[in-house]
Amino acid sequence: MKKIIISLFAAIGALMLPSCSDMLDTESSRQLFDKELDSKTDSVHFAFGVMQAMQQLADQYVFIGEMRGDLVRTTEYTDNNLRRLADFSADTSNKYDSAYVYYRVINNCNYYIAHRDTTLLTGSTLVAMREYAAIKAFRAWAYLQLARTYGKVPFFTDPLTTISQINSSNYPSLDIDGIVAALAPDLEQYSGYTVPNYDNVDIGATNWGSTKRMFTKYCFIPVDVILGEMYLEVGDFARAASHYTTYLTRVAEPVDRYALGFSSRLSFSDITYVPSDYDGGLSGVLWSAIFDNNSTIDYLSYIPMSVNRLRGTTTSLPLAFGFNYYSTSSRIDSLRMDEVQIMASDQYWALSDSCDYYYYRSVTGGLPQQYVGGVKWGDMRSKAIVTKGTGADSTKQWITKYNSGNIYLYRTSTIYLHLAEALNRLGHVDAAFAILKDGITESLLDTTRTYITDETRELLQNTYPLLSDQYRSLFPAQTNSNYASTNFGIHQHGSGVTGDGNYPGRSPYQLDSIVGQKMRSIAQTYQVNVGTTKADSINAMEDLLCDEYALEFAFEGTRWYDLMRLARHKNRAALYNPDFGGRWLARKLQYKNPVKDLTIPENWYLPFK
């Protein structure tokens, strides 16, 4: 611990003084290490200092989150640090085992929180409060990642800037439950706050000609999002659902709330036969456009990395996945690398390929739309973000999610899926399935959608009032004219027309059949007696959500943390014995031949360094 604190003490000045060439540089002649923080404007430097610290941890966050999950595999070119993360042999010598990078964020936040004057007014507005709340959200996020990574970690909320503080060892060691108990009650007072927005900034051009922008409002994490995440981790599903609802109804702007208003068009690249009556799916923006340079589709919170080392902190993630983002070549065709370190696992491809594709066809003299399902074309998201080599390169794969040099922490899709996870564990399997199938729209109040119970309709109007009289207009029903301003079922991002549209019950993607299929799969895979109780349905729906996390968020750094969280839910539920979560997680990772027994939760964590 002392080593970490000494490092923080040495770094704190540099973090709060951006270099003149840095992408997070600001124009000010004030002394930044000013403990009063009594200016209305200059605290932006401290906020940018926290953002710089976030850049320092970005690669570690993703590598740990993906290499320890089930969606990637190593290659002959994989760095040994990554290889040891993948087989669970990493020790304190591992390059990516560093609690320090998170404590650097925490200490910067602690300093700001201790010294920021929050009473400053412009008219009757407290000008510092949104930024103050956002900095507390950063601190909570950093502690959450520490607990996910190490289990128990030293906890402190005072800024460590003196020798006496450094020499102190009286810091409690808290696990994830303790951290949530310590930080969540204070954050509650900022529920409903929006994040600061310092406008958008051009941060330079790559050597191959792509100009990049930084969208500052997406550099923060809304308080209600981090509260939802914290409560979800510890199994407080009611509070988690409440804060996700608050974010969607009171915090998110329309452009962010409606980020799901598109669907992936069908790609025929891997399909040998397309029926003559195929009449397409939903038109709209391609799902892969989320990851384009300067896209803001589906954004909620991200870490933008610099375009080169002269402009600030860079990332090694694109290169690990096969793209030389920092190449000095101006030829775009030379940016794809031969020595790819991380590729999609066979397990990822098996999941994607097992997905049915749903579409509709026009029938002369009949219904305007006739739904077709059960077509084994697979989920199109994999084809959108992974390029497979051909010929001499047939063994290679290139993953393109990091070709923009950005690291995604949360997307709007994250909030809807995590809301589904919470609602499911609260016993509303139909509400969770609706988020996959139709999306949250006022059409769910239509009683002809018979898979939605009256209890769930009441829940969505009152307990979690997304579809209340006050807010239902924020979630309009789907029409052919408003693809850009409504929600769609998230499974539609890659599997075509899963929603019923104007014809309830017509789509073959239905609750009873899909959940029933998953229940049979669980019984066979884990050799457990799956019954017909609500608890069995909840567990099966949770596994469907786990699959959707893989299809939607693959390679973004969240997979291992998702698996751990769901395994904890399953252990607590004790439906198929109290150790089922550990057995479930270990089964997903057995192809890696891990050196540790992953049925034991204590083996899920890295050694603290």
Side-chain angles (χ1 to χ4, degrees):
M1 182 62 187
K2 183 176 179 180
K3 178 180 178 182
I4 292 172
I5 303 308
I6 291 173
S7 297
L8 287 169
F9 183 60
I12 191 169
L15 282 169
M16 294 183 178
L17 288 165
S19 69
C20 62
S21 62
D22 198 286
M23 62 181 278
L24 293 172
D25 188 20
T26 55
E27 297 178 2
S28 175
S29 59
R30 284 179 59 91
Q31 170 62 35
L32 300 184
F33 199 78
D34 173 5
K35 70 178 295 181
E36 299 304 324
L37 276 171
D38 56 0
S39 165
K40 292 182 181 180
T41 58
D42 273 2
S43 67
V44 66
H45 296 271
F46 283 81
F48 280 3
V50 176
M51 292 180 198
Q52 286 182 312
M54 292 288 286
Q55 288 178 320
Q56 297 291 329
L57 60 78
D59 285 7
Q60 175 174 309
Y61 166 77
V62 173
F63 282 139
I64 291 175
E66 288 305 320
M67 299 310 297
R68 290 161 74 83
D70 60 335
L71 306 180
V72 302
R73 64 176 175 87
T74 58
T75 74
E76 61 182 307
Y77 304 111
T78 305
D79 175 87
N80 279 336
N81 292 289
L82 298 179
R83 195 180 304 279
R84 288 169 182 155
L85 287 175
D87 68 10
F88 289 81
S89 65
D91 56 25
T92 55
S93 67
N94 194 280
K95 176 182 179 181
Y96 299 108
D97 180 0
S98 173
Y100 159 63
V101 294
Y102 288 102
Y103 279 112
R104 177 160 46 186
V105 171
I106 289 164
N107 207 38
N108 274 268
C109 293
N110 286 346
Y111 188 91
Y112 177 101
I113 292 164
H115 298 296
R116 181 55 167 147
D117 183 353
T118 60
T119 65
L120 299 173
L121 292 169
T122 294
S124 60
T125 302
L126 290 167
V127 297
M129 291 308 297
R130 284 198 304 161
E131 190 178 82
Y132 189 76
I135 297 299
K136 286 192 171 183
F138 270 136
R139 180 175 67 180
W141 181 87
Y143 267 125
L144 185 63
Q145 308 320 310
L146 280 170
R148 285 169 148 187
T149 304
Y150 299 106
K152 283 190 174 183
V153 294
F155 180 83
F156 56 93
T157 56
D158 293 326
L160 304 181
T161 58
T162 68
I163 298 300
S164 61
Q165 289 173 312
I166 292 170
N167 288 334
S168 173
S169 60
N170 297 320
Y171 303 109
S173 184
L174 301 184
D175 61 10
I176 200 163
D177 292 278
I179 283 170
V180 172
L183 294 178
D186 174 67
L187 281 170
E188 287 282 2
Q189 64 186 304
Y190 308 108
S191 177
Y193 275 48
T194 57
V195 297
N197 187 352
Y198 307 130
D199 295 326
N200 307 327
V201 182
D202 285 331
I203 57 176
T206 63
N207 292 313
W208 36 279
S210 177
T211 301
K212 186 171 183 177
R213 304 198 81 194
M214 180 176 68
F215 302 91
T216 57
K217 80 167 186 175
Y218 296 122
C219 294
F220 294 97
I221 303 169
V223 168
D224 285 289
V225 168
I226 194 59
L227 278 170
E229 295 296 282
M230 295 169 80
Y231 289 132
L232 190 67
E233 287 285 343
V234 299
D236 191 340
F237 303 114
R239 282 197 176 99
S242 179
H243 282 287
Y244 293 137
T245 300
T246 298
Y247 170 75
L248 291 168
T249 56
R250 295 171 49 198
V251 178
E253 297 178 15
V255 68
D256 303 318
R257 186 185 308 113
Y258 301 142
L260 300 185
F262 59 91
S263 183
S264 179
R265 292 188 186 123
L266 181 61
S267 168
F268 295 117
S269 59
D270 290 342
I271 298 171
T272 57
Y273 170 71
V274 179
S276 60
D277 63 359
Y278 175 78
D279 195 34
L282 299 168
S283 60
V285 179
L286 290 175
W287 176 81
S288 59
I290 295 171
F291 312 104
D292 290 347
N293 194 43
N294 296 329
S295 169
T296 58
I297 298 170
D298 211 39
Y299 272 31
L300 196 160
S301 181
Y302 82 135
I303 305 174
M305 306 301 285
S306 177
V307 295
N308 57 56
R309 288 180 177 84
L310 294 177
R311 302 282 300 189
T313 304
T314 58
T315 174
S316 60
L317 288 168
L319 193 64
F321 288 105
F323 183 75
N324 192 357
Y325 183 78
Y326 300 106
S327 171
T328 57
S329 172
S330 60
R331 291 176 49 216
I332 193 71
D333 60 351
S334 69
L335 301 180
R336 186 179 293 172
M337 304 299 295
D338 288 330
E339 298 180 355
V340 184
Q341 296 189 59
I342 306 174
M343 293 187 188
S345 67
D346 291 344
Q347 285 67 22
Y348 171 77
W349 286 114
L351 172 62
S352 178
D353 293 344
S354 70
C355 292
D356 290 343
Y357 194 86
Y358 303 85
Y359 68 94
Y360 57 78
R361 59 189 174 193
S362 295
V363 180
T364 303
L367 290 171
Q369 294 176 351
Q370 189 174 91
Y371 292 88
V372 180
V375 183
K376 294 297 183 182
W377 285 341
D379 191 279
M380 295 298 151
R381 283 169 287 193
S382 61
K383 299 171 179 62
I385 57 161
V386 185
T387 301
K388 290 183 177 181
T390 58
D393 290 330
S394 61
T395 62
K396 292 187 174 64
Q397 302 170 21
W398 293 274
I399 295 169
T400 61
K401 277 195 172 180
Y402 293 100
N403 287 13
S404 64
N406 294 328
I407 286 81
Y408 310 94
L409 299 181
Y410 299 107
R411 298 199 267 117
T412 302
S413 297
T414 315
I415 303 309
Y416 283 106
L417 283 174
H418 284 186
L419 173 62
E421 183 181 323
L423 292 175
N424 180 58
R425 276 292 168 185
L426 288 168
H428 300 279
V429 178
D430 55 339
F433 189 75
I435 289 173
L436 297 185
K437 175 180 169 60
D438 289 305
I440 295 292
T441 74
E442 60 182 349
S443 64
L444 296 182
L445 301 180
D446 182 353
T447 56
T448 60
R449 281 170 168 74
T450 55
Y451 77 94
I452 300 294
T453 65
D454 290 340
E455 181 186 7
T456 290
R457 291 192 183 94
E458 192 279 333
L459 181 90
L460 296 176
Q461 292 177 88
N462 295 295
T463 309
Y464 307 112
L466 294 153
L467 302 180
S468 64
D469 290 342
Q470 181 178 2
Y471 295 122
R472 61 186 292 182
S473 63
L474 301 178
F475 307 93
Q478 300 161 6
T479 69
N480 290 336
S481 61
N482 73 341
Y483 287 130
S485 59
T486 189
N487 290 325
F488 288 83
I490 292 182
H491 199 58
Q492 295 190 74
H493 288 182
S495 288
V497 187
T498 63
D500 288 323
N502 296 322
Y503 303 97
R506 296 278 183 179
S507 171
Y509 187 78
Q510 296 295 336
L511 174 62
D512 289 345
S513 60
I514 299 301
V515 172
Q517 180 181 339
K518 178 58 73 172
M519 292 169 80
R520 291 188 292 273
S521 174
I522 291 169
Q524 180 179 3
T525 302
Y526 299 101
Q527 297 297 298
V528 294
N529 183 22
V530 177
T532 58
T533 68
K534 175 171 277 192
D536 291 297
S537 296
I538 289 171
N539 183 71
M541 185 66 232
E542 189 171 75
D543 277 34
L544 283 172
L545 290 171
C546 183
D547 291 347
E548 201 67 33
Y549 292 157
L551 297 167
E552 183 71 24
F553 305 122
F555 322 123
E556 293 179 37
T558 62
R559 186 57 174 176
W560 171 240
Y561 307 119
D562 287 339
L563 293 179
M564 282 200 300
R565 183 181 67 255
L566 297 179
R568 286 199 301 273
H569 294 349
K570 294 177 189 299
N571 279 344
R572 286 172 179 152
L575 177 62
Y576 308 121
N577 291 323
D579 66 342
F580 177 66
R583 292 190 288 116
W584 174 88
L585 183 148
R587 175 68 174 78
K588 286 185 174 293
L589 296 170
Q590 69 179 14
Y591 78 95
K592 304 175 105 173
N593 296 314
V595 302
K596 293 183 178 180
D597 181 357
L598 297 181
T599 65
I600 302 172
E602 288 75 12
N603 290 336
W604 298 349
Y605 303 105
L606 285 173
F608 184 80
K609 181 181 72 172

